[in-house]
Amino acid sequence: MARLILFNKPFNVLTQFTGGTPEETLSGYIKVPDVYAAGRLDKDSEGLLLLTDDGALQAHIASPRFKMPKTYLVQVEGLPSDEALTSLRAGVTLNDGPTRPAKVERIDTPDLWPRNPPVRFRKSVPDQWLSLTITEGRNRQVRRMTAAVGHPTLRLVRWRIGDWTLDGLAPGEWRFVEPPTRPARSAAPPRPNRSPVPPKGRTPRRS
């Protein structure tokens, strides 16, 4: 049976098992053999990462073809105007093409764990938290989207992927969850019930 893990990835941890010290990679947190990240989360981003030992499930979660929604809590520099939010909802044009429309709204400061190191605070520059949902997974997409409307991202926490959330997981913690049930493959459609057509010039036999 497939295994599926929800993991709250801390800041400055790579979404891989090798390539750094244990504290800098998944190997310092997850001691489960043969599981791999379904998608990625940048080193300087935090939050929900899914891991599985099922290749088909991994592809379903990670591939933009399936349009699985991912919700981020985003702290941005400045106070985005209604026009900036409208642009994000419509889709913004990045250097690799236009994005799909996003769902975005202003939110109150969420009750999150302190980041280590903390976000740089400047008294002269206000900030705003947003809830931003996308159905793609381009490289550093959320950061590039907010920058495109004039509001660089200060902190980025992925809170939800599909129906899975970070609820109850502190940074560095993980738990097994039941993987989704795969839909059965569609059977071939039945052939129409037609009487056989006799060869031209012949009369069909009667029983």
Side-chain angles (χ1 to χ4, degrees), residues 99-154:
T99 67
R100 291 175 184 161
K103 294 180 181 178
V104 61
E105 60 182 351
R106 301 180 188 91
I107 59 173
D108 294 332
T109 301
D111 185 18
L112 295 172
W113 55 90
R115 200 189 78 173
N116 184 24
V119 173
R120 185 178 60 158
F121 176 71
R122 293 190 292 171
K123 287 184 179 180
S124 60
V125 181
D127 62 79
Q128 173 69 54
W129 280 90
L130 305 173
S131 172
L132 180 65
T133 300
I134 61 175
T135 55
E136 299 175 277
R138 303 187 202 181
N139 184 41
R140 300 182 73 80
Q141 180 173 340
V142 172
R143 295 178 188 275
R144 291 193 291 145
M145 288 175 69
T146 66
V149 296
H151 297 279
T153 291
L154 302 173

